[in-house]
Amino acid sequence: MAAYAGQPTPPTERRRGRTPMIAALVAVLVLAAAGGVAFYLLGQDESTPAAVAAPTQDPLPTDDPSDDEEDPGTGVPAANSSTDPRFVEQGQCVRNDAPTGGKPKLLITDCEPSAYEVLQRFDGKTSGEKDAEAKCAKVDGYTNWYFYDSELDSLDFVLCLKRRG
């Protein structure tokens, strides 16, 4: 018998099935992460509801928070024990607690001389300043308007206001 110079080595196995699967999984994860980041960044501008008010004659005053003493015999009680203007009703009053020239920050308050009385409230979709001005133009005696525009149209509203004495 003839002697062999060495032991033959078996051929190496190929692992084709896992490499394409791993590459596809990595690609899906990268695309999902990129899609999540894009969704988050694109949704940032729309997630903050815009609350805008513009005077038609006088600007809304900024009340001094130290003047918040309650007079039990004056005004209309706040809706749902809240000062949020989303709950204000016709006949109630609001004040602007924002700094002068800043974005309005209305709060439900007693009907005192520096407050604004809600003459009319329009609930439902609003398209902004022109829509608010057009709605309030039909309300006798209004001096200012305020609108709240959110992503959910059923939460939108317009307030037609009258500055009190």
Side-chain angles (χ1 to χ4, degrees), residues 23-95:
L25 180 61
V26 168
V28 167
L29 290 174
V30 168
L31 288 174
V37 169
F39 179 78
Y40 175 78
L41 293 175
L42 290 174
Q44 287 300 303
D45 292 335
E46 298 171 339
S47 67
T48 306
V52 181
T56 52
Q57 292 177 358
D58 299 331
L60 292 172
T62 302
D63 288 346
D64 183 1
S66 63
D67 292 341
D68 283 342
E69 295 180 22
E70 294 186 69
D71 182 5
T74 318
V76 179
N80 298 331
S81 299
S82 174
T83 59
D84 193 319
R86 292 178 298 163
F87 304 114
V88 72
E89 297 175 3
Q90 185 174 337
Q92 290 184 301
C93 291
V94 292
R95 71 172 187 260

Side-chain angles (χ1 to χ4, degrees), residues 123-126 149-157:
D123 289 311
K125 184 177 180 177
T126 182
D149 188 11
S150 82
E151 287 183 33
L152 188 57
D153 288 339
S154 64
L155 297 179
D156 293 358
F157 64 90

